[in-house]
């Protein structure tokens, strides 16, 4: 790590303990759904509970379709199983969902003078654990 930040390649998305190949962009979004407890007694000011109604982790992965990754990606889209995805953060911590991740969409596109690209979106199921392998 430099004093100013991390390199984007230090943020990885793994499937079955292997880094997904040919990835160009990765996004992980932690969600916390608010619980609104506003009543007429609050004079128009919103009141929220500090504990969220639900927590989530959504991941989007974009990359180049290759002969090595396409069958794996298509297999996830055709499966009725949760995907064993792990997020490896630049600081080395790892995040996983207890049940795994649900593949909510797969998109692919190609242009006549470019590559074939894919976008996969997955959503967590179950509690999310954060571990620090260096602390073991």
């Amino acid at each position: 790590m430099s004093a100013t930040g991390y390199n984007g390649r230090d943020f990885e998305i793994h499937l079955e303990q292997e880094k997904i190949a040919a990835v160009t962009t990765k996004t992980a979004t932690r969600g916390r759904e608010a619980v609104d407890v506003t009543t007429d007694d609050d004079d128009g000011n919103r009141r929220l509970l500090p504990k969220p109604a639900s927590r989530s982790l959504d991941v989007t992965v974009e990359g180049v379709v290759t002969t090595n990754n396409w069958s794996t990606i298509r297999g996830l889209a055709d499966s009725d199983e949760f995907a064993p995805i792990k997020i490896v953060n630049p600081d080395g911590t790892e995040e996983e969902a207890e049940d795994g991740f649900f593949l909510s969409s797969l998109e692919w596109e190609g242009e006549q003078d470019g590559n074939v690209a894919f976008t996969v979106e997955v959503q967590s199921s179950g509690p999310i654990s954060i571990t620090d392998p260096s602390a073991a």
Side-chain angles (χ1 to χ4, degrees), residues 1 10-11 16 18 28 30 32 34 41-42 50 53 56 63 73 76 80 82 84 89-90 92 96 124 128 130 133-134:
M1 183 190 104
D10 295 332
F11 172 44
E16 297 178 356
E18 295 290 325
R30 283 191 163 273
R32 293 171 42 98
D41 300 333
D42 292 317
S56 62
I73 293 167
L76 287 175
D80 289 335
F82 289 119
N89 292 308
E96 296 179 89
S124 63
I128 298 156
I130 302 172
S134 67

PDB file of all heavy atoms in Angstrom, residues 1 10-11 16 18 28 30 32 34 41-42 50 53 56 63 73 76 80 82 84 89-90 92 96 124 128 130 133-134:
ATOM      1  N   MET A   1       0.842  -1.180   0.000  1.00  0.00           N
ATOM      2  CA  MET A   1       0.000   0.000   0.000  1.00  0.00           C
ATOM      3  C   MET A   1       0.880   1.234   0.000  1.00  0.00           C
ATOM      4  O   MET A   1       1.871   1.320   0.680  1.00  0.00           O
ATOM      5  CB  MET A   1      -0.888   0.002   1.241  1.00  0.00           C
ATOM      6  CG  MET A   1      -1.834   1.185   1.259  1.00  0.00           C
ATOM      7  SD  MET A   1      -2.681   1.372   2.823  1.00  0.00           S
ATOM      8  CE  MET A   1      -1.767   2.745   3.487  1.00  0.00           C
ATOM      9  N   ASP A  10      -5.805  -4.430  -6.340  1.00  0.00           N
ATOM     10  CA  ASP A  10      -5.746  -4.986  -4.992  1.00  0.00           C
ATOM     11  C   ASP A  10      -7.129  -5.326  -4.448  1.00  0.00           C
ATOM     12  O   ASP A  10      -7.247  -5.917  -3.380  1.00  0.00           O
ATOM     13  CB  ASP A  10      -5.056  -4.011  -4.037  1.00  0.00           C
ATOM     14  CG  ASP A  10      -3.604  -3.796  -4.396  1.00  0.00           C
ATOM     15  OD1 ASP A  10      -2.991  -4.711  -4.981  1.00  0.00           O
ATOM     16  OD2 ASP A  10      -3.073  -2.712  -4.089  1.00  0.00           O
ATOM     17  N   PHE A  11      -8.173  -4.953  -5.149  1.00  0.00           N
ATOM     18  CA  PHE A  11      -9.555  -5.247  -4.787  1.00  0.00           C
ATOM     19  C   PHE A  11     -10.008  -6.366  -5.707  1.00  0.00           C
ATOM     20  O   PHE A  11     -10.098  -6.188  -6.920  1.00  0.00           O
ATOM     21  CB  PHE A  11     -10.399  -3.975  -4.966  1.00  0.00           C
ATOM     22  CG  PHE A  11     -11.887  -4.153  -4.818  1.00  0.00           C
ATOM     23  CD1 PHE A  11     -12.425  -4.907  -3.793  1.00  0.00           C
ATOM     24  CD2 PHE A  11     -12.746  -3.540  -5.712  1.00  0.00           C
ATOM     25  CE1 PHE A  11     -13.791  -5.054  -3.662  1.00  0.00           C
ATOM     26  CE2 PHE A  11     -14.116  -3.675  -5.593  1.00  0.00           C
ATOM     27  CZ  PHE A  11     -14.644  -4.437  -4.561  1.00  0.00           C
ATOM     28  N   GLU A  16     -15.216 -19.491  -5.676  1.00  0.00           N
ATOM     29  CA  GLU A  16     -14.636 -20.775  -5.278  1.00  0.00           C
ATOM     30  C   GLU A  16     -13.134 -20.648  -5.033  1.00  0.00           C
ATOM     31  O   GLU A  16     -12.335 -21.418  -5.546  1.00  0.00           O
ATOM     32  CB  GLU A  16     -14.956 -21.846  -6.318  1.00  0.00           C
ATOM     33  CG  GLU A  16     -16.439 -22.112  -6.445  1.00  0.00           C
ATOM     34  CD  GLU A  16     -16.788 -23.129  -7.508  1.00  0.00           C
ATOM     35  OE1 GLU A  16     -15.875 -23.603  -8.228  1.00  0.00           O
ATOM     36  OE2 GLU A  16     -17.965 -23.440  -7.629  1.00  0.00           O
ATOM     37  N   GLU A  18     -10.908 -18.736  -6.176  1.00  0.00           N
ATOM     38  CA  GLU A  18     -10.060 -18.283  -7.279  1.00  0.00           C
ATOM     39  C   GLU A  18     -10.514 -16.912  -7.740  1.00  0.00           C
ATOM     40  O   GLU A  18     -11.713 -16.664  -7.884  1.00  0.00           O
ATOM     41  CB  GLU A  18     -10.139 -19.253  -8.459  1.00  0.00           C
ATOM     42  CG  GLU A  18      -9.589 -20.635  -8.174  1.00  0.00           C
ATOM     43  CD  GLU A  18      -8.085 -20.639  -8.013  1.00  0.00           C
ATOM     44  OE1 GLU A  18      -7.404 -19.854  -8.705  1.00  0.00           O
ATOM     45  OE2 GLU A  18      -7.589 -21.425  -7.188  1.00  0.00           O
ATOM     46  N   ALA A  28     -18.518  -3.156  -5.022  1.00  0.00           N
ATOM     47  CA  ALA A  28     -19.218  -3.784  -3.903  1.00  0.00           C
ATOM     48  C   ALA A  28     -19.991  -2.685  -3.181  1.00  0.00           C
ATOM     49  O   ALA A  28     -19.436  -1.623  -2.894  1.00  0.00           O
ATOM     50  CB  ALA A  28     -18.235  -4.463  -2.953  1.00  0.00           C
ATOM     51  N   ARG A  30     -22.464  -1.949   0.106  1.00  0.00           N
ATOM     52  CA  ARG A  30     -23.112  -2.367   1.352  1.00  0.00           C
ATOM     53  C   ARG A  30     -24.410  -1.593   1.496  1.00  0.00           C
ATOM     54  O   ARG A  30     -24.425  -0.373   1.387  1.00  0.00           O
ATOM     55  CB  ARG A  30     -22.237  -2.060   2.557  1.00  0.00           C
ATOM     56  CG  ARG A  30     -21.119  -3.034   2.718  1.00  0.00           C
ATOM     57  CD  ARG A  30     -20.469  -2.823   4.080  1.00  0.00           C
ATOM     58  NE  ARG A  30     -19.682  -3.972   4.406  1.00  0.00           N
ATOM     59  CZ  ARG A  30     -20.149  -5.052   5.020  1.00  0.00           C
ATOM     60  NH1 ARG A  30     -21.412  -5.111   5.374  1.00  0.00           N
ATOM     61  NH2 ARG A  30     -19.377  -6.071   5.269  1.00  0.00           N
ATOM     62  N   ARG A  32     -27.983  -0.793   3.765  1.00  0.00           N
ATOM     63  CA  ARG A  32     -28.636  -0.787   5.081  1.00  0.00           C
ATOM     64  C   ARG A  32     -29.992  -0.115   4.894  1.00  0.00           C
ATOM     65  O   ARG A  32     -30.059   1.079   4.635  1.00  0.00           O
ATOM     66  CB  ARG A  32     -27.814  -0.009   6.101  1.00  0.00           C
ATOM     67  CG  ARG A  32     -26.480  -0.649   6.447  1.00  0.00           C
ATOM     68  CD  ARG A  32     -25.591   0.259   7.288  1.00  0.00           C
ATOM     69  NE  ARG A  32     -26.257   0.982   8.327  1.00  0.00           N
ATOM     70  CZ  ARG A  32     -26.309   0.624   9.627  1.00  0.00           C
ATOM     71  NH1 ARG A  32     -25.711  -0.477  10.003  1.00  0.00           N
ATOM     72  NH2 ARG A  32     -26.933   1.363  10.507  1.00  0.00           N
ATOM     73  N   ALA A  34     -33.240   1.535   6.035  1.00  0.00           N
ATOM     74  CA  ALA A  34     -33.691   2.272   7.213  1.00  0.00           C
ATOM     75  C   ALA A  34     -35.101   1.864   7.631  1.00  0.00           C
ATOM     76  O   ALA A  34     -35.918   1.475   6.802  1.00  0.00           O
ATOM     77  CB  ALA A  34     -33.660   3.775   6.935  1.00  0.00           C
ATOM     78  N   ASP A  41     -46.568  13.056  15.675  1.00  0.00           N
ATOM     79  CA  ASP A  41     -45.999  13.761  16.838  1.00  0.00           C
ATOM     80  C   ASP A  41     -44.614  14.334  16.568  1.00  0.00           C
ATOM     81  O   ASP A  41     -44.094  15.104  17.374  1.00  0.00           O
ATOM     82  CB  ASP A  41     -45.922  12.814  18.037  1.00  0.00           C
ATOM     83  CG  ASP A  41     -47.290  12.279  18.441  1.00  0.00           C
ATOM     84  OD1 ASP A  41     -48.297  12.968  18.193  1.00  0.00           O
ATOM     85  OD2 ASP A  41     -47.333  11.158  18.980  1.00  0.00           O
ATOM     86  N   ASP A  42     -43.998  13.957  15.456  1.00  0.00           N
ATOM     87  CA  ASP A  42     -42.634  14.408  15.151  1.00  0.00           C
ATOM     88  C   ASP A  42     -42.598  15.720  14.373  1.00  0.00           C
ATOM     89  O   ASP A  42     -41.536  16.131  13.904  1.00  0.00           O
ATOM     90  CB  ASP A  42     -41.886  13.314  14.368  1.00  0.00           C
ATOM     91  CG  ASP A  42     -41.631  12.091  15.217  1.00  0.00           C
ATOM     92  OD1 ASP A  42     -41.243  12.248  16.390  1.00  0.00           O
ATOM     93  OD2 ASP A  42     -41.820  10.960  14.706  1.00  0.00           O
ATOM     94  N   PRO A  50     -31.858   3.325  14.717  1.00  0.00           N
ATOM     95  CA  PRO A  50     -30.434   3.192  14.373  1.00  0.00           C
ATOM     96  C   PRO A  50     -30.085   1.822  13.792  1.00  0.00           C
ATOM     97  O   PRO A  50     -29.091   1.684  13.088  1.00  0.00           O
ATOM     98  CB  PRO A  50     -29.717   3.429  15.694  1.00  0.00           C
ATOM     99  CG  PRO A  50     -30.716   3.084  16.740  1.00  0.00           C
ATOM    100  CD  PRO A  50     -32.066   3.416  16.161  1.00  0.00           C
ATOM    101  N   ALA A  53     -33.361  -2.337   8.957  1.00  0.00           N
ATOM    102  CA  ALA A  53     -34.315  -3.426   8.745  1.00  0.00           C
ATOM    103  C   ALA A  53     -33.614  -4.624   8.110  1.00  0.00           C
ATOM    104  O   ALA A  53     -33.920  -5.773   8.424  1.00  0.00           O
ATOM    105  CB  ALA A  53     -35.459  -2.955   7.862  1.00  0.00           C
ATOM    106  N   SER A  56     -27.249  -5.704   3.422  1.00  0.00           N
ATOM    107  CA  SER A  56     -26.981  -6.444   2.186  1.00  0.00           C
ATOM    108  C   SER A  56     -25.609  -6.069   1.646  1.00  0.00           C
ATOM    109  O   SER A  56     -25.034  -5.049   2.014  1.00  0.00           O
ATOM    110  CB  SER A  56     -28.053  -6.135   1.143  1.00  0.00           C
ATOM    111  OG  SER A  56     -28.034  -4.767   0.807  1.00  0.00           O
ATOM    112  N   GLY A  63     -16.128  -7.454 -17.072  1.00  0.00           N
ATOM    113  CA  GLY A  63     -14.868  -7.942 -17.610  1.00  0.00           C
ATOM    114  C   GLY A  63     -14.973  -8.365 -19.052  1.00  0.00           C
ATOM    115  O   GLY A  63     -15.991  -8.160 -19.718  1.00  0.00           O
ATOM    116  N   ILE A  73     -19.087 -18.434 -15.784  1.00  0.00           N
ATOM    117  CA  ILE A  73     -20.087 -17.386 -15.618  1.00  0.00           C
ATOM    118  C   ILE A  73     -21.455 -17.879 -16.064  1.00  0.00           C
ATOM    119  O   ILE A  73     -22.459 -17.694 -15.377  1.00  0.00           O
ATOM    120  CB  ILE A  73     -19.667 -16.120 -16.395  1.00  0.00           C
ATOM    121  CG1 ILE A  73     -18.426 -15.517 -15.747  1.00  0.00           C
ATOM    122  CG2 ILE A  73     -20.795 -15.108 -16.443  1.00  0.00           C
ATOM    123  CD1 ILE A  73     -17.736 -14.465 -16.591  1.00  0.00           C
ATOM    124  N   LEU A  76     -23.008 -20.204 -13.548  1.00  0.00           N
ATOM    125  CA  LEU A  76     -23.635 -19.510 -12.416  1.00  0.00           C
ATOM    126  C   LEU A  76     -25.035 -19.034 -12.777  1.00  0.00           C
ATOM    127  O   LEU A  76     -25.964 -19.129 -11.979  1.00  0.00           O
ATOM    128  CB  LEU A  76     -22.801 -18.300 -11.999  1.00  0.00           C
ATOM    129  CG  LEU A  76     -21.499 -18.549 -11.280  1.00  0.00           C
ATOM    130  CD1 LEU A  76     -20.769 -17.231 -11.055  1.00  0.00           C
ATOM    131  CD2 LEU A  76     -21.746 -19.244  -9.962  1.00  0.00           C
ATOM    132  N   ASP A  80     -29.220 -23.112  -9.852  1.00  0.00           N
ATOM    133  CA  ASP A  80     -30.161 -22.721  -8.800  1.00  0.00           C
ATOM    134  C   ASP A  80     -29.485 -22.799  -7.439  1.00  0.00           C
ATOM    135  O   ASP A  80     -30.121 -23.080  -6.424  1.00  0.00           O
ATOM    136  CB  ASP A  80     -31.413 -23.613  -8.833  1.00  0.00           C
ATOM    137  CG  ASP A  80     -32.274 -23.319 -10.039  1.00  0.00           C
ATOM    138  OD1 ASP A  80     -32.217 -22.192 -10.570  1.00  0.00           O
ATOM    139  OD2 ASP A  80     -33.017 -24.230 -10.465  1.00  0.00           O
ATOM    140  N   PHE A  82     -26.535 -20.904  -4.669  1.00  0.00           N
ATOM    141  CA  PHE A  82     -25.832 -19.666  -4.348  1.00  0.00           C
ATOM    142  C   PHE A  82     -24.373 -19.795  -4.782  1.00  0.00           C
ATOM    143  O   PHE A  82     -23.793 -20.876  -4.700  1.00  0.00           O
ATOM    144  CB  PHE A  82     -25.879 -19.366  -2.844  1.00  0.00           C
ATOM    145  CG  PHE A  82     -27.237 -18.942  -2.358  1.00  0.00           C
ATOM    146  CD1 PHE A  82     -27.903 -19.670  -1.404  1.00  0.00           C
ATOM    147  CD2 PHE A  82     -27.847 -17.793  -2.851  1.00  0.00           C
ATOM    148  CE1 PHE A  82     -29.148 -19.285  -0.939  1.00  0.00           C
ATOM    149  CE2 PHE A  82     -29.089 -17.392  -2.405  1.00  0.00           C
ATOM    150  CZ  PHE A  82     -29.749 -18.138  -1.448  1.00  0.00           C
ATOM    151  N   PRO A  84     -20.421 -19.216  -4.326  1.00  0.00           N
ATOM    152  CA  PRO A  84     -19.469 -19.010  -3.233  1.00  0.00           C
ATOM    153  C   PRO A  84     -18.477 -17.888  -3.576  1.00  0.00           C
ATOM    154  O   PRO A  84     -17.347 -18.140  -3.985  1.00  0.00           O
ATOM    155  CB  PRO A  84     -18.784 -20.364  -3.100  1.00  0.00           C
ATOM    156  CG  PRO A  84     -18.835 -20.927  -4.493  1.00  0.00           C
ATOM    157  CD  PRO A  84     -20.114 -20.421  -5.100  1.00  0.00           C
ATOM    158  N   ASN A  89     -10.642  -7.338   0.006  1.00  0.00           N
ATOM    159  CA  ASN A  89     -10.443  -5.892   0.028  1.00  0.00           C
ATOM    160  C   ASN A  89      -8.960  -5.549  -0.061  1.00  0.00           C
ATOM    161  O   ASN A  89      -8.103  -6.374   0.258  1.00  0.00           O
ATOM    162  CB  ASN A  89     -11.046  -5.306   1.313  1.00  0.00           C
ATOM    163  CG  ASN A  89     -12.551  -5.421   1.310  1.00  0.00           C
ATOM    164  OD1 ASN A  89     -13.214  -5.021   0.367  1.00  0.00           O
ATOM    165  ND2 ASN A  89     -13.110  -5.988   2.376  1.00  0.00           N
ATOM    166  N   PRO A  90      -8.628  -4.339  -0.483  1.00  0.00           N
ATOM    167  CA  PRO A  90      -7.227  -3.945  -0.627  1.00  0.00           C
ATOM    168  C   PRO A  90      -6.417  -4.056   0.666  1.00  0.00           C
ATOM    169  O   PRO A  90      -5.211  -4.255   0.612  1.00  0.00           O
ATOM    170  CB  PRO A  90      -7.305  -2.484  -1.089  1.00  0.00           C
ATOM    171  CG  PRO A  90      -8.642  -2.347  -1.707  1.00  0.00           C
ATOM    172  CD  PRO A  90      -9.536  -3.280  -0.949  1.00  0.00           C
ATOM    173  N   GLY A  92      -6.620  -6.479   2.688  1.00  0.00           N
ATOM    174  CA  GLY A  92      -6.441  -7.897   2.970  1.00  0.00           C
ATOM    175  C   GLY A  92      -7.631  -8.534   3.657  1.00  0.00           C
ATOM    176  O   GLY A  92      -7.706  -9.762   3.739  1.00  0.00           O
ATOM    177  N   GLU A  96     -17.584 -12.399   3.100  1.00  0.00           N
ATOM    178  CA  GLU A  96     -18.373 -13.465   2.515  1.00  0.00           C
ATOM    179  C   GLU A  96     -19.771 -13.446   3.120  1.00  0.00           C
ATOM    180  O   GLU A  96     -19.943 -13.061   4.271  1.00  0.00           O
ATOM    181  CB  GLU A  96     -17.735 -14.829   2.776  1.00  0.00           C
ATOM    182  CG  GLU A  96     -16.377 -14.999   2.133  1.00  0.00           C
ATOM    183  CD  GLU A  96     -15.759 -16.338   2.429  1.00  0.00           C
ATOM    184  OE1 GLU A  96     -16.015 -17.282   1.658  1.00  0.00           O
ATOM    185  OE2 GLU A  96     -15.050 -16.442   3.440  1.00  0.00           O
ATOM    186  N   SER A 124     -26.025 -10.704  -1.820  1.00  0.00           N
ATOM    187  CA  SER A 124     -25.724 -11.562  -0.688  1.00  0.00           C
ATOM    188  C   SER A 124     -26.979 -12.175  -0.103  1.00  0.00           C
ATOM    189  O   SER A 124     -28.072 -11.616  -0.183  1.00  0.00           O
ATOM    190  CB  SER A 124     -25.006 -10.766   0.408  1.00  0.00           C
ATOM    191  OG  SER A 124     -25.853  -9.738   0.909  1.00  0.00           O
ATOM    192  N   ILE A 128     -23.193 -11.299   6.719  1.00  0.00           N
ATOM    193  CA  ILE A 128     -21.925 -11.074   6.052  1.00  0.00           C
ATOM    194  C   ILE A 128     -20.819 -11.099   7.091  1.00  0.00           C
ATOM    195  O   ILE A 128     -20.882 -10.403   8.106  1.00  0.00           O
ATOM    196  CB  ILE A 128     -21.938  -9.735   5.306  1.00  0.00           C
ATOM    197  CG1 ILE A 128     -23.028  -9.775   4.234  1.00  0.00           C
ATOM    198  CG2 ILE A 128     -20.582  -9.433   4.697  1.00  0.00           C
ATOM    199  CD1 ILE A 128     -23.539  -8.441   3.819  1.00  0.00           C
ATOM    200  N   ILE A 130     -16.737 -10.618   8.016  1.00  0.00           N
ATOM    201  CA  ILE A 130     -15.507  -9.937   7.607  1.00  0.00           C
ATOM    202  C   ILE A 130     -14.369 -10.571   8.415  1.00  0.00           C
ATOM    203  O   ILE A 130     -14.429 -10.589   9.651  1.00  0.00           O
ATOM    204  CB  ILE A 130     -15.566  -8.421   7.865  1.00  0.00           C
ATOM    205  CG1 ILE A 130     -16.756  -7.810   7.120  1.00  0.00           C
ATOM    206  CG2 ILE A 130     -14.257  -7.763   7.449  1.00  0.00           C
ATOM    207  CD1 ILE A 130     -17.011  -6.357   7.466  1.00  0.00           C
ATOM    208  N   PRO A 133      -7.324 -12.369   7.422  1.00  0.00           N
ATOM    209  CA  PRO A 133      -6.438 -13.536   7.421  1.00  0.00           C
ATOM    210  C   PRO A 133      -5.090 -13.258   8.100  1.00  0.00           C
ATOM    211  O   PRO A 133      -4.477 -14.181   8.634  1.00  0.00           O
ATOM    212  CB  PRO A 133      -6.235 -13.838   5.937  1.00  0.00           C
ATOM    213  CG  PRO A 133      -7.357 -13.172   5.245  1.00  0.00           C
ATOM    214  CD  PRO A 133      -7.722 -11.997   6.083  1.00  0.00           C
ATOM    215  N   SER A 134      -4.640 -12.021   8.102  1.00  0.00           N
ATOM    216  CA  SER A 134      -3.348 -11.719   8.727  1.00  0.00           C
ATOM    217  C   SER A 134      -3.431 -11.768  10.246  1.00  0.00           C
ATOM    218  O   SER A 134      -2.403 -11.852  10.922  1.00  0.00           O
ATOM    219  CB  SER A 134      -2.844 -10.338   8.284  1.00  0.00           C
ATOM    220  OG  SER A 134      -3.687  -9.317   8.786  1.00  0.00           O
TER     221      SER A 134
END
